[in-house]
Amino acid sequence: MNNVNLGSYFGIPLGLSFSFLIVLTVLLIVKWEIALLYAVVMVAFVVPHEFAHCFMAKAVGWVVKDITITPIGGVASMDFKIEESKNEFLVVIVGPLVNVVFAAIFY
């Protein structure tokens, strides 16, 4: 794994890509307020979105490897065999549904 390990939560390893750390460092140098906002947004919105994908993947029997936070979002790595398109749809749609809930809360 080519990232910084942030620990394992709910049995899913969470990490930051080195490119995320580079972007964060540049933002800290340019304007620390933007860096803080960027970090908060990534933790508050992207991490729950990715965990939602992972929880649903586990619920349908897929193996979840890890989550990596990158400068433009997150990546949930999984091993799976698509036996039913319904399962794939459920895993895909649950992440954006978390964002809809956030939008409803903060609107």
Side-chain angles (χ1 to χ4, degrees), residues 15-43:
L16 293 177
S17 69
F18 286 113
S19 56
F20 177 86
L21 295 175
I22 292 168
V23 169
L24 189 61
T25 302
V26 169
L27 289 174
L28 280 168
I29 292 167
V30 173
K31 190 154 185 159
W32 70 268
E33 296 93 343
I34 300 295
L36 179 64
L37 178 63
Y38 179 63
V40 167
V41 166
M42 293 303 267
V43 170

Side-chain angles (χ1 to χ4, degrees), residues 33-104:
E33 296 93 343
I34 300 295
L36 179 64
L37 178 63
Y38 179 63
V40 167
V41 166
M42 293 303 267
V43 170
F45 297 104
V46 174
V47 171
H49 173 105
E50 294 303 324
F51 270 105
H53 286 303
C54 292
F55 294 152
M56 184 59 72
K58 283 185 167 191
V60 299
W62 295 2
V63 175
V64 176
K65 292 184 187 175
D66 62 14
I67 296 173
T68 302
I69 303 304
T70 70
I72 59 170
V75 178
S77 300
M78 303 170 203
D79 281 334
F80 60 92
K81 189 181 337 176
I82 299 173
E83 295 173 358
E84 292 185 43
S85 58
K86 174 186 163 192
N87 290 347
E88 182 181 16
F89 175 76
L90 291 172
V91 171
V92 169
I93 198 67
V94 74
L97 287 177
V98 168
N99 294 61
V100 169
V101 169
F102 283 140

Side-chain angles (χ1 to χ4, degrees), residues 3-19:
N3 45 0
V4 177
N5 185 8
L6 297 178
S8 184
Y9 306 91
F10 309 102
I12 303 167
L14 177 65
L16 293 177
S17 69
F18 286 113
S19 56

